[in-house]
Amino acid sequence: MGNAELLSIHVHPVKAFRGQSPREAVVEPWGLTGDRRWALIDDGGKVVTQRQQPRLARAAAELLPGGGVRLSAPGLEPLTVSVPQPIGTVSLEIFRDKVEGVLADDSAHAWCSAYLGTDVRLVHMDDPATRRPVDPEYALPGETVTFADGYPLLVTAVASLDALNSLIARGEHAAEGPMPMNRFRPNLVVAGTAPWAEDGWSRLTIGEVDFRVAKTCGRCVVTTTDQTTAERGREPLHTLGRHRRLGGKLVFGQNLVPLSRGTVRVGDQVRIVG
């Protein structure tokens, strides 16, 4: 386990959009800098993800200096969106959490609505230190999160994906495999572990940053969405359902909460401390 290292880093500036893979990233208490600070909401104020709109897999968001984003998608001219002034907020709902956000410029709403063919609005989380607490069942006091599904970071392991792909290859939907790691939309990907070693982690250090494991990550239909074509299949949920069922959830990866600030870099040593 001493040779485990950080293989890749992934930041998704707009929830559900394709993200970026920088060589290094700053870790803040609520996640990687710029990760999922933006999200789409429907006309009822509910956050829109690839669960409802798999086409979002083909839209991309590039983080700009200062926190703005450059949006691109098939058939549309790219659009640069600046961080809105927090002069007022709107209420929105993300997985039963009621959260406040700041609406982007009208041009962003028009661009996103044109791409999806339905009315949506783009919102920005202005203050991740206060807007949304982590699920209190798995949180320490004061821990917060952005528009991520529930926790500041998600870590996955290459060896576990290899093991999962071996199972898929022997199953009835083998033609869908092998799965790429982007199906699971992690923030951090670790190499050099044993398969499923992350099941036993409770604390780890990556480079200069300490993390605690909050809980195993339950997976949803987004994992069946090809992140290049936006087409859906049966895998990996079919195989996870047979081999990786825990407490009624189909699990892959671990949700992390930072215990310190700092920078993580590709190639950093990963040390399991508990």
Side-chain angles (χ1 to χ4, degrees):
M1 178 65 222
N3 295 323
E5 69 172 32
L6 185 58
L7 181 69
S8 60
I9 299 169
H10 306 276
V11 177
H12 304 88
V14 180
K15 184 176 182 64
F17 281 51
R18 188 180 311 153
Q20 302 167 263
S21 301
R23 299 289 298 176
E24 63 179 53
V26 173
V27 180
E28 299 174 318
W30 40 83
L32 300 180
T33 293
D35 188 64
R36 297 171 170 97
R37 290 285 297 272
W38 300 81
L40 295 177
I41 58 173
D42 62 18
D43 54 10
K46 291 191 174 181
V47 166
V48 177
T49 73
Q50 289 184 32
R51 293 165 178 82
Q52 303 87 19
Q53 293 283 354
R55 290 188 69 213
L56 287 172
R58 302 191 67 203
E62 175 190 353
L63 187 65
L64 302 176
V69 286
R70 185 174 186 267
L71 307 179
S72 56
L76 292 175
E77 287 294 316
L79 179 72
T80 297
V81 183
S82 300
V83 172
Q85 294 296 318
I87 51 176
T89 62
V90 294
S91 295
L92 57 102
E93 183 178 337
I94 175 169
F95 305 120
R96 297 185 298 277
D97 290 344
K98 301 292 187 182
V99 184
E100 296 295 309
V102 182
L103 287 174
D105 185 84
D106 285 348
S107 62
H109 310 329
W111 190 97
C112 296
S113 298
Y115 178 62
L116 292 180
T118 187
D119 281 344
V120 290
R121 294 175 292 168
L122 183 65
V123 295
H124 181 256
M125 184 176 285
D126 57 324
D127 185 9
T130 63
R131 290 294 183 202
R132 185 182 176 212
V134 172
D135 182 348
E137 187 175 347
Y138 298 98
L140 299 178
E143 290 179 343
T144 61
V145 61
T146 60
F147 291 131
D149 277 5
Y151 299 88
L153 293 99
L154 172 67
V155 63
T156 58
V158 173
S160 300
L161 180 62
D162 290 344
L164 176 62
N165 278 326
S166 293
L167 294 170
I168 291 172
R170 298 196 294 270
E172 59 195 271
H173 304 292
E176 290 189 28
M179 296 282 115
M181 190 65 88
N182 66 9
R183 289 291 188 97
F184 300 96
R185 297 180 62 82
N187 295 113
L188 306 175
V189 179
V190 174
T193 72
W196 314 120
E198 64 273 22
D199 289 352
W201 298 350
S202 59
R203 291 276 299 273
L204 64 156
T205 299
I206 301 176
E208 62 188 35
V209 185
D210 299 321
F211 300 91
R212 71 176 187 87
V213 176
K215 66 183 291 288
T216 303
C217 185
R219 309 312 311 212
C220 71
V221 70
V222 171
T223 61
T224 69
T225 309
D226 186 310
Q227 295 295 297
T228 302
T229 66
E231 294 176 358
R232 283 204 171 134
R234 297 288 302 279
E235 296 292 3
L237 289 186
H238 179 80
T239 297
L240 289 175
R242 292 191 168 189
H243 299 278
R244 296 284 298 166
R245 189 180 289 273
L246 181 66
K249 300 282 189 179
L250 312 185
V251 298
F252 187 91
Q254 296 286 348
N255 291 298
L256 301 181
V257 181
L259 297 174
S260 62
R261 294 177 183 254
T263 299
V264 292
R265 298 173 176 86
V266 170
D268 275 351
Q269 182 182 2
V270 177
R271 300 184 300 282
I272 306 308
V273 294

